[in-house]
């Protein structure tokens, strides 16, 4: 091998070795880079010693040290790994002097600088509920709704160009969380807009109503437009009822908010039960006080796919049930997935005479429970081959009450039903079930004898009134009848709930 050839080989070896070393060095740097990632995946920035001293002085509240460091220098514009500059840190300290020193030492754009979460110094001061810091920043040019001119910002796009956090919450919306009326008034005084929604559609008024901040609500009601509320798809009444704050609810009703405003479909889809009304929220929370307020204000109790009465029956709350019935809740509703021929409310009351009487007194269609197409014939047709449309969609009361786990209740339930009907026909299946019960002799006696004229007159009057009027007993006040007769027509002698109150 000649010298030139050996030299070329030598050069190639050196080049290869160099490439290996560079590759190893790059791997080492990547490892070091991974080591300086924070838990949330953000890169940890190594700040300068001057920046660390400033941060330490701010956190200690050391005004003298901060003044020494407050000479014009780039450290006051230096971000840490969260995107905070010293002014952000000072805004969160309950020390206005610290904020003043830091503000004067910072650059003019510092007040509009944002953290990685999209929060300005003013936002952070409001978030902490620091009124003096908020006032100072506003007095010195911080805008509660300043425009973000960074078109490439991932935090604000399109029409959402207002000063907002990463979840698109305005500073005023953030202030509504604490409900501090002084902070909210101050922001409004400096031009904050109460009609800018969060990305969820919620306005500041929704938030204060949900959290029960009465004083803040009183401030926001006059500056919140109905157009903004309507566009949000929900009423502040929904928020107040969901939070269980009857005082806020009353304030909103007195301000003219509609108790029958329904959730917009795009809001309703967030709920499995497809709820619509404000009343539904109050009933679900078993909030009797809010329920009464809404009903007295004109809320309609039958507007939701799942009826408010059904919810109250499921909860077993007598007071709630009685309140809804007195304001016209429909006792003859059918569930959306109902499989019975008779109105669905009965299924919650079979074991409870108090509930049974409450439902029957308010016009429950008792006679429908005795409907049976088979009569004295066998209840299973000769051509029955299993499930049929009738079995699935139109189960008769006799089929339900004769099942093993309910048949022991059949005697007491049917005996109560007979107080609300004239002569009825018992099908063979119901009769076979009732014959095993101790109430059977009494039932036979009622069925075999003519009903008294007084009872028949009551039934006739109730039939003439109609179920709609029976559902809303206020109609009885217009009838020119003695109170005693009115009470008889409404079955007051069987109002067990009132008798036990």
């Amino acid at each position: 091998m000649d010298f030139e050839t050996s030299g070329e080989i030598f050069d190639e070896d050196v080049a290869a070795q160099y490439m290996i070393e560079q590759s190893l060095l790059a791997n080492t740097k990547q490892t070091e880079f991974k080591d300086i990632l924070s838990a949330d995946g953000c890169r940890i920035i190594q700040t300068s010693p001057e920046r660390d001293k400033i941060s330490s002085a701010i956190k200690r509240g050391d005004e003298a040290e901060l003044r020494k460091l407050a000479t014009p220098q780039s450290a006051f514009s230096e971000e840490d790994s969260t995107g905070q500059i010293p002014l952000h840190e000072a805004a969160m300290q309950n020390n206005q002097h610290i904020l003043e020193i830091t503000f004067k030492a910072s650059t003019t754009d510092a007040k509009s600088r944002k953290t990685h979460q999209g929060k300005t110094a003013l936002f952070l001061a409001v978030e902490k509920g620091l009124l003096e810091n908020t006032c100072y920043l506003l007095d010195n040019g911080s805008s509660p709704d300043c425009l973000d001119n960074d078109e490439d910002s991932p935090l604000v796009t399109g029409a959402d160009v207002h000063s907002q956090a990463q979840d698109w919450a305005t500073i005023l919306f953030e202030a509504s969380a604490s409900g501090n009326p002084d902070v909210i008034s101050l922001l409004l005084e400096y031009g904050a807009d109460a009609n800018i929604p969060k990305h969820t559609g919620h306005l500041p008024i929704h938030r204060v109503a949900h959290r029960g901040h009465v004083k803040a609500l009183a401030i926001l009601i006059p500056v919140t437009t109905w157009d903004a509320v309507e566009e949000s798809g929900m009423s502040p009444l929904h928020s107040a009822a969901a939070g269980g704050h009857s005082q806020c609810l009353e304030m909103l009703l007195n301000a003219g908010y509609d108790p029958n405003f329904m959730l917009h479909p795009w809001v309703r889809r967030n709920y499995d039960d497809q709820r619509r009304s404000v009343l539904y929220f109050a009933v679900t929370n078993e909030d009797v006080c809010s329920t009464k307020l809404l009903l007295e204000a004109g809320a309609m109790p039958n507007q939701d796919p799942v009826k408010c009465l059904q919810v109250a029956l499921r909860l077993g709350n007598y007071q709630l049930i009685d309140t809804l019935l007195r304001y016209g809740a429909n006792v003859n509703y059918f569930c959306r997935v109902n499989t019975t021929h008779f109105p669905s409310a009965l299924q919650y009351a079979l074991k409870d005479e108090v509930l049974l009487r409450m439902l029957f007194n308010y016009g429950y269609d008792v006679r429908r429970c005795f409907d049976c197409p088979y009569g004295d014939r066998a209840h299973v047709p000769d051509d029955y081959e299993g499930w049929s449309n009738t079995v699935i969609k139109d189960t008769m009361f006799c089929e339900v009450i004769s099942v093993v786990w309910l048949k022991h209740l059949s005697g007491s339930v049917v005996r109560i039903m007979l107080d609300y009907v004239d002569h009825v026909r018992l099908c063979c299946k119901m009769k076979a079930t009732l014959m095993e019960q101790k109430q059977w002799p009494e039932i036979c006696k009622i069925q075999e004898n003519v009903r008294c004229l007084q009872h028949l007159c009551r039934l006739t009057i109730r039939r003439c009134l109609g179920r709609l009027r029976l559902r809303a007993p206020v109609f009885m006040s217009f009838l020119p009848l003695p109170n005693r007769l009115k009470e008889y027509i409404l079955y007051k002698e069987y109002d067990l709930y009132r008798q036990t109150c």
Side-chain angles (χ1 to χ4, degrees):
M1 182 182 294
D2 58 20
F3 180 78
E4 290 182 2
T5 303
S6 63
E8 289 175 2
I9 294 174
F10 176 79
D11 290 340
E12 289 177 1
D13 290 342
V14 171
Q17 182 64 30
Y18 177 76
M19 291 174 66
I20 292 170
E21 290 175 357
Q22 290 300 311
S23 178
L24 292 172
L25 183 60
N27 287 338
T28 303
K29 287 182 178 180
Q30 286 183 5
T31 304
E32 290 174 353
F33 178 74
K34 290 178 183 178
D35 291 339
I36 60 172
L37 291 181
S38 63
D40 59 1
C42 297
R43 186 177 179 182
I44 298 175
I45 298 173
Q46 299 297 322
T47 52
S48 65
E50 292 78 10
R51 170 70 171 81
D52 293 340
K53 290 178 183 179
I54 292 170
S55 180
S56 177
I58 290 171
K59 291 175 181 177
R60 295 196 318 270
D62 191 340
E63 297 176 27
E65 178 65 18
L66 189 60
R67 283 193 180 91
K68 292 178 182 177
L69 297 168
T71 56
Q73 55 177 298
S74 60
F76 278 90
S77 297
E78 192 177 334
E79 292 183 359
D80 64 11
S81 57
T82 65
Q84 288 189 2
I85 60 174
L87 185 61
H88 291 131
E89 297 174 358
M92 294 186 287
Q93 304 303 314
N94 191 15
N95 186 332
Q96 188 179 343
H97 296 300
I98 290 291
L99 178 60
E100 290 177 9
I101 297 167
T102 308
F103 187 90
K104 291 174 182 177
S106 301
T107 56
T108 55
D109 69 332
K111 58 180 175 287
S112 59
R113 292 272 294 274
K114 296 180 181 179
T115 67
H116 293 331
Q117 292 184 326
K119 299 180 180 181
T120 62
L122 178 61
F123 194 106
L124 293 168
V126 169
E127 191 175 48
K128 292 289 185 179
L130 301 174
L131 180 61
E132 291 184 353
N133 287 2
T134 301
C135 187
Y136 178 84
L137 289 167
L138 287 168
D139 283 340
N140 285 274
S142 295
S143 174
D145 288 315
C146 61
L147 293 175
D148 187 342
N149 295 320
D150 183 5
E151 296 179 356
D152 296 326
S153 173
L155 305 178
V156 183
T157 59
D160 300 307
V161 293
H162 292 270
S163 178
Q164 300 171 325
Q166 198 165 12
D167 60 357
W168 306 351
T170 64
I171 295 174
L172 183 60
F173 188 90
E174 187 62 35
S176 66
S178 64
N180 187 322
D182 295 325
V183 173
I184 290 172
S185 295
L186 187 63
L187 289 169
L188 290 171
E189 182 182 340
Y190 278 84
D193 190 348
N195 299 295
I196 300 175
K198 193 180 178 182
H199 73 287
T200 58
H202 292 87
L203 297 164
I205 196 171
H206 291 116
R207 200 175 203 190
V208 298
H210 185 263
R211 300 201 176 193
H213 300 311
V214 179
K215 292 181 179 179
L217 183 61
I219 296 168
L220 287 171
I221 286 175
V223 296
T224 303
T225 66
W226 177 246
D227 287 343
V229 170
E230 198 168 25
E231 190 175 344
S232 73
M234 66 200 92
S235 170
L237 288 170
H238 287 105
S239 301
H245 301 293
S246 57
Q247 195 172 356
C248 289
L249 202 66
E250 186 174 14
M251 183 180 291
L252 288 161
L253 289 169
N254 291 337
Y257 279 90
D258 181 7
N260 290 305
F261 183 87
M262 301 296 165
L263 290 176
H264 192 277
W266 74 266
V267 181
R268 289 206 304 270
R269 67 171 179 245
N270 295 318
Y271 298 96
D272 293 336
D273 51 23
Q274 289 288 294
R275 61 183 66 184
R276 299 176 184 173
S277 69
V278 179
L279 185 64
Y280 193 98
F281 285 85
V283 172
T284 303
N285 288 343
E286 295 192 70
D287 187 346
V288 177
C289 181
S290 294
T291 299
K292 285 181 178 178
L293 278 173
L294 289 165
L295 290 168
E296 288 170 359
M300 295 181 286
N302 304 305
Q303 301 303 302
D304 296 274
V306 178
K307 304 305 178 190
C308 290
L309 180 60
Q310 181 180 347
V311 176
L313 286 166
R314 193 167 57 221
L315 293 169
N317 189 316
Y318 286 170
Q319 190 177 5
L320 205 55
I321 294 166
D322 180 67
T323 302
L324 288 167
L325 289 173
R326 285 190 292 108
Y327 283 89
N330 183 14
V331 294
N332 291 302
Y333 70 86
F334 284 87
C335 293
R336 298 175 71 186
V337 292
N338 183 65
T339 60
T340 60
H341 181 74
F342 52 93
S344 304
L346 190 63
Q347 63 183 311
Y348 297 101
L350 291 173
K351 299 180 181 179
D352 191 331
E353 184 179 354
V354 175
L355 280 185
L356 275 174
R357 296 285 186 184
M358 289 173 76
L359 296 176
F360 295 165
N361 290 354
Y362 281 92
Y364 184 87
D365 191 359
V366 178
R367 182 168 286 275
R368 196 171 174 87
C369 294
F370 294 97
D371 286 350
C372 181
Y374 300 109
D376 293 330
R377 295 182 290 110
H379 280 51
V380 180
D382 295 335
D383 59 349
Y384 179 68
E385 297 180 355
W387 293 108
S388 66
N389 289 336
T390 302
V391 173
I392 295 170
K393 297 181 180 179
D394 202 33
T395 306
M396 301 297 161
F397 180 70
C398 57
E399 299 282 357
V400 173
I401 204 66
S402 60
V403 297
V404 174
W405 57 89
L406 288 178
K407 64 188 307 181
H408 67 285
L409 301 172
S410 62
S412 59
V413 172
V414 171
R415 172 59 192 88
I416 294 169
M417 285 179 169
L418 293 179
D419 290 331
Y420 298 86
V421 293
D422 190 359
H423 180 78
V424 291
R425 183 181 181 185
L426 303 179
C427 70
C428 64
K429 186 158 192 171
M430 184 180 290
K431 190 180 294 185
T433 303
L434 292 173
M435 288 176 68
E436 301 175 7
Q437 309 305 315
K438 64 180 181 179
Q439 293 87 359
W440 176 241
E442 187 178 0
I443 292 171
C444 287
K445 183 178 178 180
I446 294 172
Q447 286 288 92
E448 291 170 357
N449 292 281
V450 178
R451 310 300 291 270
C452 70
L453 183 60
Q454 186 179 13
H455 174 69
L456 295 176
C457 288
R458 171 160 59 181
L459 294 178
T460 301
I461 294 171
R462 285 173 68 88
R463 188 162 51 250
C464 291
L465 284 172
R467 294 194 185 95
L468 182 61
R469 291 184 176 88
L470 292 175
R471 277 164 43 189
V474 67
F475 285 107
M476 292 297 292
S477 62
F478 298 106
L479 291 179
L481 299 173
N483 288 333
R484 185 177 177 184
L485 181 54
K486 291 179 182 179
E487 290 180 356
Y488 181 72
I489 293 170
L490 295 174
Y491 280 96
K492 289 298 182 183
E493 76 271 27
Y494 290 137
D495 191 351
L496 302 184
Y497 172 70
R498 293 286 176 189
Q499 293 172 16
T500 55
C501 287

